[in-house]
Amino acid sequence: MARRMTSYMTDNNYVDTSVQKGGIQGFSGCIEHTSIISQLIQEAKVNKKDLTVVWLDLANAYGTFPHMLIRQSLDHYHIPDHFKKVIRSYLSGIELRFTTNTFTTTWQKLLKGIVTGCTISVILFVMGMNMIIKSGERETRGPKTSTDIRQPPNRGFMDDLTITTDTHVQARWVLKALEETVTWARMSFKPKKSRALIIRKGKRAHQVELKV
């Protein structure tokens, strides 16, 4: 099921493998992202252009990933009903309980989190993250390289996101859209691991820690 769903998502171009890395076999990963972002920064300095780069990290992404978002993504990407039935049954059957020195709780259903080592959880996470990434794309277009190739404004590697825009104002628009979607999903960004680099006319204006 995991293999067939992955092929379905890529064959129908629901996942842009130039934007979203990790979880999709056969496509290069974070090294490619890092190289492109480094190139954009270097070209902004050489050509005296404006550029804003924002690095975002979701707090406990795998542990807080809501099953509600998984169900939404299954519907959004038109996953066949018999697949959805199996996945929903699987997720609803995951329970846990806690034991201390004095008592043990009753079994409780999990409403969030993906299972470590579970093969189907990887593509489910990719589908949900794809919805989050796409929510910011409508706000602006990404910057162009010196070869006049337009780059996407948002990039993702599993739970890490990177925003690249021509101005900090555009970056704010994307951040607002992402924050609304992440808040709707009852997730949050990790401020200590989120950074912004602002370059104005080729010179680094400042690099700051974001308060998100």
Side-chain angles (χ1 to χ4, degrees):
M1 285 183 67
R3 183 171 58 253
R4 290 175 64 184
M5 285 178 61
T6 302
S7 298
Y8 170 82
M9 292 292 292
T10 54
D11 291 347
N12 288 281
N13 297 317
Y14 289 139
V15 174
D16 186 348
T17 53
S18 68
V19 172
Q20 188 170 353
K21 306 294 185 180
I24 305 295
Q25 295 183 358
F27 295 92
S28 56
C30 60
I31 294 178
E32 182 183 68
H33 274 358
T34 303
S35 299
I36 293 175
I37 294 169
S38 298
Q39 179 181 346
L40 287 172
I41 294 173
Q42 184 62 29
E43 289 181 359
K45 293 178 179 179
V46 172
N47 299 322
K48 300 186 181 334
K49 295 167 55 180
D50 293 344
L51 179 70
T52 298
V53 184
V54 182
W55 292 272
L56 298 170
D57 182 75
L58 285 167
N60 189 21
Y62 306 116
T64 61
F65 200 75
H67 294 175
M68 169 269 296
L69 180 57
I70 293 176
R71 291 192 292 269
Q72 288 278 350
S73 63
L74 291 173
D75 293 335
H76 182 76
Y77 294 116
H78 313 292
I79 299 299
D81 288 339
H82 59 288
F83 269 54
K84 290 193 291 187
K85 183 178 180 180
V86 172
I87 294 170
R88 288 170 177 168
S89 175
Y90 169 56
L91 293 176
S92 64
I94 300 176
E95 299 180 343
L96 61 77
R97 64 180 179 181
F98 299 95
T99 299
T100 69
N101 293 331
T102 57
F103 69 92
T104 298
T105 66
T106 59
W107 288 102
Q108 304 174 50
K109 289 185 178 294
L110 287 182
L111 300 179
K112 60 182 180 180
I114 59 173
V115 183
T116 303
C118 167
T119 54
I120 197 71
S121 290
V122 178
I123 185 59
L124 296 179
F125 185 83
V126 168
M127 290 167 60
M129 285 300 299
N130 196 57
M131 292 186 66
I132 293 176
I133 291 172
K134 293 293 184 182
S135 68
E137 287 188 351
R138 65 178 182 270
E139 300 300 326
T140 184
R141 295 187 298 173
K144 285 186 177 181
T145 62
S146 57
T147 55
D148 205 36
I149 297 176
R150 178 76 65 180
Q151 296 297 320
N154 297 339
R155 298 177 184 277
F157 186 84
M158 295 307 285
D159 61 329
D160 296 312
L161 302 177
T162 306
I163 301 169
T164 50
T165 60
D166 289 320
T167 68
H168 69 281
V169 174
Q170 293 173 334
R172 286 177 182 270
W173 295 341
V174 177
L175 277 171
K176 183 178 180 181
L178 290 175
E179 184 181 14
E180 289 176 353
T181 305
V182 168
T183 301
W184 165 81
R186 298 182 181 180
M187 301 174 72
S188 61
F189 291 112
K190 187 183 298 182
K192 289 185 178 180
K193 295 187 67 175
S194 299
R195 295 287 187 275
L197 171 65
I198 299 176
I199 297 175
R200 291 176 180 167
K201 298 187 182 301
K203 295 183 179 180
R204 177 179 295 189
H206 51 272
Q207 183 169 340
V208 297
E209 177 180 317
L210 294 182
K211 296 181 180 180
V212 292

